[in-house]
Amino acid sequence: MSVLSVKNLIYGYSKGTPFEKGALKGVSVDFEKGEIVALIGHTGSGKSTLLQHLNGLLKPDSGEILFEGESIHKSKETLRKCRFNVGLCFQYPEQQLFDSTVYKDVAFGPGNMGLSAEEIDKRVRSSVAYVGLSEDYLEKSPFDLSGGEKRRVAIAGVLSMEPKVLILDDSVSAVDTKTEKVILENLAKARNGKTTILIAHRITTIEKMDKIIFVDDGKILAVGSHEQLLECSPEYRTTVELQKLDEQKEV
């Protein structure tokens, strides 16, 4: 059984106005336990909109999202269960920071779960290490950090809740290549059945994913490994080549 399943998801923005736009148009896809999945596609293709449905932040116009086989919108209890188990780190995660120290910020989620002080401390230190920060940062104010460091702290805050599914909505693409590599390598090593879903742009990242979901104009064009999509999807090959050119310009 898939840990998360999307069934014929339809969603639109500005409904009933002249600006109405269909953001998702009958999307169906499964996410398996323990896999690391990348969503790719042009800006405005529907990637973030899809991710924000996976933990109930957005509610579909029609279709459903299943967490461990149960509709997340069946009741308040199923939605609460989903949100505890499907952690979402937003596109600009540094905007999620609010507490006076890095330690307190990362500890906030586990604290709300009613865990012991010992367990919270263990999770905070482990999560900070996963994102490549030393314990020297724990007593610093998150607002005194660089933009990339703030992003790492915000991701650590989601990791500390140990969700079964971790969603990174473009959260790592803006950090430097080395930091992104450290985060993804640590997640892969410590996955323990955790599913990770992220929006990816760098080809070196995309190539290493267990599965890639290629989104365009609110629809899924192709699903598979990097090698499979290169072979079966001309649109994917074109997107990869264009991204390679963009990356070469940045060097």
Side-chain angles (χ1 to χ4, degrees):
M1 180 179 66
S2 303
V3 64
L4 269 175
S5 294
V6 178
K7 305 293 185 184
N8 197 30
L9 185 61
I10 296 174
Y11 183 80
Y13 289 108
S14 303
K15 294 180 284 293
T17 76
F19 306 101
E20 184 170 346
K21 178 187 176 183
L24 297 174
K25 305 170 182 177
V27 169
S28 295
V29 67
D30 293 323
F31 299 94
E32 305 302 328
K33 182 179 179 181
E35 66 181 358
I36 301 180
V37 183
L39 267 66
I40 74 162
H42 303 296
T43 300
S45 60
K47 304 184 299 296
S48 289
T49 303
L50 173 57
L51 293 185
Q52 289 171 29
H53 276 83
L54 298 182
N55 80 333
L57 187 64
L58 294 177
K59 188 173 182 179
D61 296 331
S62 64
E64 62 179 351
I65 299 94
L66 306 178
F67 174 70
E68 296 184 334
E70 190 172 36
S71 173
I72 68 172
H73 293 292
K74 180 181 176 181
S75 66
K76 290 182 179 180
E77 288 72 24
T78 57
L79 185 58
R80 178 179 171 82
K81 175 186 174 184
C82 173
R83 287 178 174 166
F84 265 114
N85 286 284
V86 181
L88 172 62
C89 196
F90 291 101
Q91 186 172 5
Y92 302 104
E94 61 272 20
Q95 296 177 1
Q96 295 174 237
L97 303 174
F98 65 93
D99 222 320
S100 58
T101 67
V102 168
Y103 188 100
K104 290 179 180 179
D105 216 301
V106 177
F108 179 78
N112 282 343
M113 298 170 69
L115 303 175
S116 67
E118 182 181 5
E119 176 64 20
I120 292 171
D121 184 70
K122 183 182 78 172
R123 290 191 181 198
V124 168
R125 295 177 190 280
S126 174
S127 299
V128 168
Y130 280 159
V131 298
L133 294 176
S134 71
E135 293 193 1
D136 294 339
Y137 282 83
L138 291 177
E139 295 308 316
K140 293 182 179 181
S141 166
F143 305 106
D144 292 336
L145 306 181
S146 69
E149 290 167 341
K150 287 178 181 177
R151 288 197 168 210
R152 286 189 260 177
V153 172
I155 294 169
V158 178
L159 283 170
S160 67
M161 297 180 71
E162 297 189 356
K164 292 183 179 180
V165 180
L166 174 65
I167 299 173
L168 302 174
D169 182 1
D170 226 351
S171 312
V172 297
S173 61
V175 300
D176 60 90
T177 305
K178 182 179 179 181
T179 299
E180 181 183 52
K181 182 180 178 182
V182 168
I183 292 172
L184 294 178
E185 284 181 349
N186 284 338
L187 288 172
K189 290 176 185 175
R191 64 176 78 189
N192 292 328
K194 184 197 304 294
T195 302
T196 301
I197 308 166
L198 68 148
I199 291 176
H201 300 285
R202 296 184 179 110
I203 298 303
T204 51
T205 300
I206 294 169
E207 290 173 338
K208 298 174 183 177
M209 297 293 103
D210 298 326
K211 184 164 74 183
I212 298 162
I213 300 171
F214 183 30
V215 183
D216 186 61
D217 192 28
K219 300 177 183 178
I220 293 178
L221 292 189
V223 178
S225 68
H226 176 65
E227 293 75 17
Q228 289 170 334
L229 296 195
L230 285 176
E231 184 176 337
C232 73
S233 174
E235 297 91 348
Y236 179 78
R237 287 198 300 273
T238 300
T239 299
V240 168
E241 291 304 319
L242 290 173
Q243 184 59 36
K244 284 181 178 178
L245 289 174
D246 288 341
E247 290 178 14
Q248 289 170 5
K249 292 176 185 177
E250 293 173 2
V251 175

